[in-house]
Amino acid sequence: MFSTKEQLDKRTGPYGIGRLSYLQSLVTEYQDTNSLESKQQVLANLANFAYDPVNYDYFRTLNVLDLFLDAIEETDDQLVEFAVGGICNCCLDKENKEYILKNNGVQLVIKCLSSSNEETVLSAITTLMYLTTPNSKTEICSVPVVECMLRFSQASNKRIGNLAEVFLQDYCTHQQKSEALKIQAQFSNQVNTT
């Protein structure tokens, strides 16, 4: 549920911990802990807070977007899942989107397409759609990405297949799809001849 700063202040009261303080404590815990389980739990909490636009100023103040972008490169599947989920949840905000685009976010999210974690892949596809702008469309709809979406659209997993189909229909040109199909055909021919 979306909140306003006034609603948060009213619910918190004069002596409760404020949202900024709470988010700061989460960020500090994430940075200071050596426990993977704690990192996972904190990152999941931050990703959930990314749904509410009232938190976006706090996120920018606390560099939570950097935390998400850094965590995408972690080796733990759950950290990557929560990181790309957090980016997905907050990237429709104009400032957040610009920041993510300027900080190599597209390439980081594209890497998530090769994950074996279904939720990571779903968040990555959705995030790529949300990050598409006239300036980022060439990178997001590059032939390797479109070829990947063509494969996903044929997947037995209907959630991934349907989302990939939406990506192909709404974000890709006929020419981009044709080029990706040619690559698939060439690869298929190479595999069949070996």
mmCIF file of all heavy atoms in Angstrom, residues 118-143:
data_model
loop_
_atom_site.group_PDB
_atom_site.id
_atom_site.type_symbol
_atom_site.label_atom_id
_atom_site.label_comp_id
_atom_site.label_asym_id
_atom_site.label_seq_id
_atom_site.Cartn_x
_atom_site.Cartn_y
_atom_site.Cartn_z
ATOM 1 N N GLU A 118 13.695 -18.706 -11.463
ATOM 2 C CA GLU A 118 12.545 -18.191 -12.216
ATOM 3 C C GLU A 118 12.197 -16.758 -11.826
ATOM 4 O O GLU A 118 11.925 -15.917 -12.690
ATOM 5 C CB GLU A 118 11.339 -19.105 -11.976
ATOM 6 C CG GLU A 118 10.057 -18.623 -12.632
ATOM 7 C CD GLU A 118 8.859 -19.508 -12.319
ATOM 8 O OE1 GLU A 118 9.024 -20.584 -11.721
ATOM 9 O OE2 GLU A 118 7.737 -19.117 -12.690
ATOM 10 N N GLU A 119 12.169 -16.458 -10.538
ATOM 11 C CA GLU A 119 11.803 -15.107 -10.089
ATOM 12 C C GLU A 119 12.808 -14.063 -10.567
ATOM 13 O O GLU A 119 12.434 -12.946 -10.923
ATOM 14 C CB GLU A 119 11.657 -15.066 -8.565
ATOM 15 C CG GLU A 119 10.534 -15.921 -8.020
ATOM 16 C CD GLU A 119 9.170 -15.612 -8.614
ATOM 17 O OE1 GLU A 119 8.846 -14.423 -8.810
ATOM 18 O OE2 GLU A 119 8.410 -16.560 -8.895
ATOM 19 N N THR A 120 14.074 -14.434 -10.590
ATOM 20 C CA THR A 120 15.106 -13.520 -11.086
ATOM 21 C C THR A 120 14.872 -13.213 -12.555
ATOM 22 O O THR A 120 14.938 -12.053 -12.982
ATOM 23 C CB THR A 120 16.505 -14.124 -10.873
ATOM 24 O OG1 THR A 120 16.723 -14.310 -9.467
ATOM 25 C CG2 THR A 120 17.605 -13.229 -11.430
ATOM 26 N N VAL A 121 14.589 -14.225 -13.343
ATOM 27 C CA VAL A 121 14.349 -14.042 -14.782
ATOM 28 C C VAL A 121 13.102 -13.184 -15.004
ATOM 29 O O VAL A 121 13.118 -12.252 -15.820
ATOM 30 C CB VAL A 121 14.239 -15.400 -15.501
ATOM 31 C CG1 VAL A 121 13.821 -15.211 -16.956
ATOM 32 C CG2 VAL A 121 15.563 -16.150 -15.423
ATOM 33 N N LEU A 122 12.037 -13.467 -14.275
ATOM 34 C CA LEU A 122 10.807 -12.671 -14.423
ATOM 35 C C LEU A 122 11.051 -11.203 -14.072
ATOM 36 O O LEU A 122 10.609 -10.305 -14.796
ATOM 37 C CB LEU A 122 9.698 -13.255 -13.548
ATOM 38 C CG LEU A 122 9.144 -14.608 -13.986
ATOM 39 C CD1 LEU A 122 8.291 -15.228 -12.885
ATOM 40 C CD2 LEU A 122 8.354 -14.477 -15.273
ATOM 41 N N SER A 123 11.751 -10.965 -12.978
ATOM 42 C CA SER A 123 12.059 -9.583 -12.601
ATOM 43 C C SER A 123 12.962 -8.916 -13.625
ATOM 44 O O SER A 123 12.800 -7.733 -13.929
ATOM 45 C CB SER A 123 12.717 -9.530 -11.213
ATOM 46 O OG SER A 123 11.795 -9.859 -10.203
ATOM 47 N N ALA A 124 13.906 -9.681 -14.170
ATOM 48 C CA ALA A 124 14.820 -9.111 -15.167
ATOM 49 C C ALA A 124 14.063 -8.700 -16.431
ATOM 50 O O ALA A 124 14.272 -7.595 -16.956
ATOM 51 C CB ALA A 124 15.926 -10.111 -15.504
ATOM 52 N N ILE A 125 13.184 -9.562 -16.923
ATOM 53 C CA ILE A 125 12.408 -9.224 -18.127
ATOM 54 C C ILE A 125 11.549 -7.985 -17.858
ATOM 55 O O ILE A 125 11.518 -7.050 -18.664
ATOM 56 C CB ILE A 125 11.520 -10.406 -18.571
ATOM 57 C CG1 ILE A 125 12.375 -11.601 -18.995
ATOM 58 C CG2 ILE A 125 10.603 -9.984 -19.725
ATOM 59 C CD1 ILE A 125 11.581 -12.895 -19.210
ATOM 60 N N THR A 126 10.865 -7.982 -16.737
ATOM 61 C CA THR A 126 10.003 -6.847 -16.387
ATOM 62 C C THR A 126 10.816 -5.574 -16.247
ATOM 63 O O THR A 126 10.423 -4.509 -16.743
ATOM 64 C CB THR A 126 9.236 -7.143 -15.084
ATOM 65 O OG1 THR A 126 8.508 -8.368 -15.246
ATOM 66 C CG2 THR A 126 8.274 -6.021 -14.739
ATOM 67 N N THR A 127 11.966 -5.669 -15.599
ATOM 68 C CA THR A 127 12.825 -4.493 -15.410
ATOM 69 C C THR A 127 13.295 -3.939 -16.747
ATOM 70 O O THR A 127 13.301 -2.720 -16.954
ATOM 71 C CB THR A 127 14.030 -4.846 -14.521
ATOM 72 O OG1 THR A 127 13.561 -5.326 -13.259
ATOM 73 C CG2 THR A 127 14.924 -3.631 -14.297
ATOM 74 N N LEU A 128 13.672 -4.823 -17.651
ATOM 75 C CA LEU A 128 14.103 -4.353 -18.978
ATOM 76 C C LEU A 128 12.972 -3.593 -19.677
ATOM 77 O O LEU A 128 13.213 -2.565 -20.318
ATOM 78 C CB LEU A 128 14.592 -5.519 -19.834
ATOM 79 C CG LEU A 128 15.918 -6.135 -19.390
ATOM 80 C CD1 LEU A 128 16.233 -7.384 -20.202
ATOM 81 C CD2 LEU A 128 17.058 -5.122 -19.479
ATOM 82 N N MET A 129 11.760 -4.082 -19.537
ATOM 83 C CA MET A 129 10.630 -3.358 -20.135
ATOM 84 C C MET A 129 10.477 -1.987 -19.482
ATOM 85 O O MET A 129 10.283 -0.982 -20.170
ATOM 86 C CB MET A 129 9.348 -4.183 -20.014
ATOM 87 C CG MET A 129 9.350 -5.408 -20.909
ATOM 88 S SD MET A 129 7.756 -6.252 -21.022
ATOM 89 C CE MET A 129 7.736 -7.199 -19.523
ATOM 90 N N TYR A 130 10.563 -1.945 -18.161
ATOM 91 C CA TYR A 130 10.405 -0.680 -17.435
ATOM 92 C C TYR A 130 11.534 0.311 -17.748
ATOM 93 O O TYR A 130 11.327 1.520 -17.711
ATOM 94 C CB TYR A 130 10.379 -0.914 -15.928
ATOM 95 C CG TYR A 130 9.159 -1.608 -15.385
ATOM 96 C CD1 TYR A 130 9.180 -2.135 -14.101
ATOM 97 C CD2 TYR A 130 7.978 -1.751 -16.119
ATOM 98 C CE1 TYR A 130 8.064 -2.771 -13.559
ATOM 99 C CE2 TYR A 130 6.868 -2.385 -15.594
ATOM 100 C CZ TYR A 130 6.919 -2.887 -14.308
ATOM 101 O OH TYR A 130 5.831 -3.512 -13.772
ATOM 102 N N LEU A 131 12.730 -0.203 -18.024
ATOM 103 C CA LEU A 131 13.880 0.667 -18.283
ATOM 104 C C LEU A 131 13.961 1.133 -19.734
ATOM 105 O O LEU A 131 14.830 1.935 -20.071
ATOM 106 C CB LEU A 131 15.183 -0.049 -17.912
ATOM 107 C CG LEU A 131 15.452 -0.277 -16.435
ATOM 108 C CD1 LEU A 131 16.731 -1.099 -16.249
ATOM 109 C CD2 LEU A 131 15.540 1.039 -15.669
ATOM 110 N N THR A 132 13.083 0.642 -20.569
ATOM 111 C CA THR A 132 13.141 1.008 -21.984
ATOM 112 C C THR A 132 12.737 2.463 -22.186
ATOM 113 O O THR A 132 11.666 2.892 -21.781
ATOM 114 C CB THR A 132 12.247 0.085 -22.827
ATOM 115 O OG1 THR A 132 12.684 -1.265 -22.651
ATOM 116 C CG2 THR A 132 12.311 0.449 -24.302
ATOM 117 N N THR A 133 13.644 3.200 -22.786
ATOM 118 C CA THR A 133 13.433 4.600 -23.172
ATOM 119 C C THR A 133 13.935 4.733 -24.610
ATOM 120 O O THR A 133 14.602 3.816 -25.113
ATOM 121 C CB THR A 133 14.229 5.567 -22.266
ATOM 122 O OG1 THR A 133 15.636 5.369 -22.514
ATOM 123 C CG2 THR A 133 13.926 5.371 -20.786
ATOM 124 N N PRO A 134 13.671 5.852 -25.258
ATOM 125 C CA PRO A 134 14.244 6.012 -26.600
ATOM 126 C C PRO A 134 15.773 5.855 -26.610
ATOM 127 O O PRO A 134 16.332 5.317 -27.571
ATOM 128 C CB PRO A 134 13.826 7.437 -26.992
ATOM 129 C CG PRO A 134 12.535 7.651 -26.239
ATOM 130 C CD PRO A 134 12.742 6.949 -24.924
ATOM 131 N N ASN A 135 16.445 6.277 -25.537
ATOM 132 C CA ASN A 135 17.906 6.172 -25.487
ATOM 133 C C ASN A 135 18.404 4.779 -25.116
ATOM 134 O O ASN A 135 19.501 4.395 -25.502
ATOM 135 C CB ASN A 135 18.479 7.189 -24.495
ATOM 136 C CG ASN A 135 18.310 8.600 -24.988
ATOM 137 O OD1 ASN A 135 18.298 8.868 -26.181
ATOM 138 N ND2 ASN A 135 18.169 9.537 -24.062
ATOM 139 N N SER A 136 17.624 4.013 -24.355
ATOM 140 C CA SER A 136 18.088 2.697 -23.911
ATOM 141 C C SER A 136 17.567 1.548 -24.772
ATOM 142 O O SER A 136 18.003 0.412 -24.618
ATOM 143 C CB SER A 136 17.673 2.458 -22.457
ATOM 144 O OG SER A 136 16.266 2.357 -22.343
ATOM 145 N N LYS A 137 16.652 1.844 -25.667
ATOM 146 C CA LYS A 137 15.993 0.784 -26.437
ATOM 147 C C LYS A 137 16.972 -0.030 -27.277
ATOM 148 O O LYS A 137 16.836 -1.252 -27.378
ATOM 149 C CB LYS A 137 14.897 1.371 -27.320
ATOM 150 C CG LYS A 137 14.060 0.302 -27.973
ATOM 151 C CD LYS A 137 12.807 0.841 -28.600
ATOM 152 C CE LYS A 137 12.004 -0.322 -29.147
ATOM 153 N NZ LYS A 137 10.615 -0.073 -29.193
ATOM 154 N N THR A 138 17.969 0.594 -27.862
ATOM 155 C CA THR A 138 18.934 -0.130 -28.691
ATOM 156 C C THR A 138 19.673 -1.182 -27.867
ATOM 157 O O THR A 138 19.845 -2.325 -28.307
ATOM 158 C CB THR A 138 19.946 0.847 -29.325
ATOM 159 O OG1 THR A 138 19.222 1.796 -30.111
ATOM 160 C CG2 THR A 138 20.949 0.123 -30.193
ATOM 161 N N GLU A 139 20.080 -0.809 -26.668
ATOM 162 C CA GLU A 139 20.795 -1.743 -25.797
ATOM 163 C C GLU A 139 19.862 -2.848 -25.286
ATOM 164 O O GLU A 139 20.220 -4.024 -25.266
ATOM 165 C CB GLU A 139 21.395 -0.968 -24.614
ATOM 166 C CG GLU A 139 22.207 -1.790 -23.665
ATOM 167 C CD GLU A 139 22.809 -0.983 -22.528
ATOM 168 O OE1 GLU A 139 22.319 0.138 -22.246
ATOM 169 O OE2 GLU A 139 23.752 -1.480 -21.912
ATOM 170 N N ILE A 140 18.656 -2.466 -24.893
ATOM 171 C CA ILE A 140 17.712 -3.427 -24.329
ATOM 172 C C ILE A 140 17.181 -4.379 -25.401
ATOM 173 O O ILE A 140 16.973 -5.560 -25.138
ATOM 174 C CB ILE A 140 16.570 -2.702 -23.591
ATOM 175 C CG1 ILE A 140 17.136 -2.054 -22.315
ATOM 176 C CG2 ILE A 140 15.414 -3.634 -23.269
ATOM 177 C CD1 ILE A 140 16.170 -1.153 -21.568
ATOM 178 N N CYS A 141 16.993 -3.887 -26.594
ATOM 179 C CA CYS A 141 16.462 -4.724 -27.683
ATOM 180 C C CYS A 141 17.562 -5.151 -28.643
ATOM 181 O O CYS A 141 17.333 -5.290 -29.851
ATOM 182 C CB CYS A 141 15.341 -3.981 -28.413
ATOM 183 S SG CYS A 141 13.902 -3.709 -27.374
ATOM 184 N N SER A 142 18.747 -5.382 -28.102
ATOM 185 C CA SER A 142 19.853 -5.877 -28.925
ATOM 186 C C SER A 142 19.539 -7.308 -29.378
ATOM 187 O O SER A 142 18.705 -8.002 -28.784
ATOM 188 C CB SER A 142 21.153 -5.850 -28.127
ATOM 189 O OG SER A 142 21.060 -6.734 -27.020
ATOM 190 N N VAL A 143 20.204 -7.750 -30.413
ATOM 191 C CA VAL A 143 19.930 -9.066 -30.980
ATOM 192 C C VAL A 143 20.076 -10.185 -29.938
ATOM 193 O O VAL A 143 19.203 -11.056 -29.846
ATOM 194 C CB VAL A 143 20.804 -9.333 -32.232
ATOM 195 C CG1 VAL A 143 20.668 -10.773 -32.705
ATOM 196 C CG2 VAL A 143 20.433 -8.375 -33.344
#
